[in-house]
């Protein structure tokens, strides 16, 4: 109930620096749903659990079977590996068909009288015995049935399609120095990274920009109202690595007489939930009295 009653900004601030901010948002939304729509009663079956924001098939199945002994199969990375090797299945595990086929096989094998023990045993067998590298095939209780071992394909299974290529993005943050120790922050929205977190006004580009290139950008022109002077804070860009993208970031110090966006006092800046990229800059840039 405390989590449900908190603001989104408070939750994101507490989560700051942990990454995967969608988890914090999902946790918050689920708390609100359980508190307000379910009268505080946490779901006790797969059908109810799967409705929770951020809870997928694996989590719902694990909770339902292990906590409430509901006969639903759990399929995690270890289970994929065990089943693909024993049965010789080469369907990629990170595809819709793979998810469907392995789930159906796990359901068929499930001990419906004791699903909790079965699911945990299968996951543990994959983690400790049928390991990704150097599995203990010689003493495996399934070595007379394992298709992968028979066909010398243990190292080739399970099959997983290659990850998406890492994308490079170039961020130019405008750190405004306004009158009376004020600056400008904006909240990120949409389905991209850091939804709900705050940052300095951003000009994204297709490459690293020089000063003259930056000030000619339309995004820059729409932000600055009146006279200004600009200075690069870090010549060498900060490279912030996320799972599928690398951000090459420069911070530009802008002294401006006016701004088209609302300003905040420097003493308030550290109260806002921000990405760790911005937090690291603030710790280096802000005077001690504002930290």
């Amino acid at each position: 109930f405390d989590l449900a009653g908190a603001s989104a900004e408070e939750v994101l601030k507490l989560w700051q620096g942990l990454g995967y901010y969608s988890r914090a948002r999902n946790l918050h939304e689920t708390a609100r749903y359980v508190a307000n729509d379910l009268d505080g009663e946490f779901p006790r079956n797969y059908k109810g659990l799967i409705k929770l924001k951020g809870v997928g098939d694996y989590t719902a199945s694990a909770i339902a079977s292990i906590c409430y002994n509901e006969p639903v199969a759990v399929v995690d990375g270890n289970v994929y590996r065990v089943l693909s090797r024993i049965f010789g299945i080469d369907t990629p595990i990170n595809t819709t068909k793979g998810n469907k086929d392995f789930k159906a096989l796990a359901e068929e094998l499930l001990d419906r009288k004791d699903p909790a023990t079965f699911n945990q045993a299968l996951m543990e067998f994959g983690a400790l015995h049928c390991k990704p590298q150097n599995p203990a095939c010689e003493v495996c209780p399934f070595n007379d049935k394992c298709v992968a071992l028979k066909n010398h394909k243990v190292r080739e299974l399970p099959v997983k399609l290659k990850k998406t290529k890492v994308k490079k993005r170039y961020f130019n943050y405008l750190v405004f120095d306004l009158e009376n120790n004020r600056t400008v922050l904006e909240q990120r929205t949409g389905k991209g990274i850091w939804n709900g977190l705050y940052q300095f006004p951003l000009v994204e580009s297709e490459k690293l920009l020089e000063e003259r290139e930056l000030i000619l950008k339309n995004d820059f022109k729409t932000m600055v109202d009146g006279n200004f002077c600009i200075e690069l804070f870090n010549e060498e860009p900060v490279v912030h690595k996320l799972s599928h993208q690398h951000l090459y970031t420069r911070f530009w110090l802008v002294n401006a007489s006016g701004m088209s966006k609302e300003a905040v006092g420097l003493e308030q800046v550290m109260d806002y939930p921000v990405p760790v990229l911005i937090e690291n800059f603030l710790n280096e840039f802000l005077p001690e009295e504002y930290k």
Side-chain angles (χ1 to χ4, degrees):
F1 286 98
D2 288 343
L3 178 56
S7 69
E9 287 188 8
E10 184 179 3
V11 173
L12 289 172
K13 183 62 181 177
L14 290 169
W15 195 271
Q16 183 171 300
L18 296 178
Y20 296 99
Y21 290 92
S22 60
R23 292 180 178 175
R25 290 189 291 272
N26 291 338
L27 193 66
H28 190 208
E29 192 168 329
T30 283
R32 287 181 166 178
Y33 172 66
V34 173
N36 301 327
D37 293 20
L38 304 182
D39 297 323
E41 184 69 27
F42 196 79
R44 300 174 66 86
N45 55 46
Y46 178 90
K47 187 177 179 181
L49 290 161
I50 200 69
K51 293 179 181 178
L52 303 180
K53 189 75 171 178
V55 172
D57 176 74
Y58 163 71
T59 305
S61 299
I63 297 172
S65 63
I66 296 170
C67 298
Y68 306 125
N69 213 40
E70 183 179 353
V72 284
V74 173
V75 182
D76 72 345
N78 294 306
V79 174
Y80 277 124
R81 187 165 56 257
V82 173
L83 297 185
S84 68
R85 286 173 173 172
I86 291 177
F87 292 91
I89 303 170
D90 59 5
T91 306
I93 62 175
N94 55 340
T95 61
T96 301
K97 179 172 172 49
N99 292 338
K100 183 179 179 180
D101 290 353
F102 279 98
K103 179 72 173 183
L105 178 58
E107 290 283 359
E108 183 181 339
L109 298 170
L110 181 67
D111 181 345
R112 309 194 79 78
K113 293 182 179 179
D114 191 3
T117 301
F118 179 89
N119 283 332
Q120 291 180 88
L122 191 54
M123 289 189 285
E124 284 294 283
F125 184 77
L128 303 177
H129 194 103
C130 191
K131 298 180 290 187
Q133 304 295 327
N134 302 315
C137 296
E138 299 81 5
V139 293
C140 178
F142 302 108
N143 59 17
D144 61 336
K145 302 180 180 68
C146 181
V147 175
L149 182 62
K150 179 181 177 181
N151 296 330
H152 307 288
K153 289 188 174 183
V154 172
R155 291 182 177 274
E156 298 173 24
L157 295 174
V159 174
K160 190 173 184 180
L161 298 181
K162 291 183 178 180
K163 291 183 178 180
T164 307
K165 186 179 179 180
V166 174
K167 179 182 179 181
K168 290 184 178 181
R169 300 176 69 182
Y170 298 90
F171 281 12
N172 299 276
Y173 280 121
L174 307 182
V175 185
F176 284 92
D177 178 17
L178 305 175
E179 296 177 354
N180 302 320
N181 293 322
R182 296 179 305 144
T183 191
V184 178
L185 293 178
E186 60 184 15
Q187 190 174 30
R188 290 186 66 92
T189 58
K191 295 184 178 181
I193 60 173
W194 304 331
N195 179 29
L197 300 185
Y198 286 79
Q199 63 182 11
F200 294 107
L202 172 65
V203 176
E204 186 168 354
S205 55
E206 296 180 352
K207 63 183 182 68
L208 290 176
L209 297 181
E210 300 300 326
E211 178 184 322
R212 53 186 169 77
E213 297 173 304
L214 176 62
I215 63 178
L216 290 175
K217 287 281 187 181
N218 287 332
D219 288 347
F220 184 91
K221 293 177 181 179
T222 57
M223 291 182 203
V224 182
D225 182 17
N227 297 324
F228 69 90
C229 61
I230 185 170
E231 178 185 355
L232 180 59
F233 180 78
N234 58 314
E235 180 69 36
E236 191 67 26
V238 176
V239 182
H240 188 72
K241 296 182 179 180
L242 302 173
S243 54
H244 296 304
Q245 49 190 300
H246 292 173
L247 311 180
Y248 292 77
T249 305
R250 278 175 164 173
F251 293 89
W252 298 84
L253 309 182
V254 183
N255 191 294
S257 59
M259 262 294 298
S260 59
K261 294 179 179 287
E262 188 175 346
V264 299
L266 288 183
E267 72 279 0
Q268 299 173 290
V269 169
M270 293 299 281
D271 296 332
Y272 285 82
V274 297
V276 69
L277 175 64
I278 301 294
E279 182 185 21
N280 291 341
F281 168 79
L282 289 172
N283 285 328
E284 182 178 356
F285 174 73
L286 282 181
E288 283 298 324
E289 63 265 28
Y290 294 125
K291 295 181 182 178

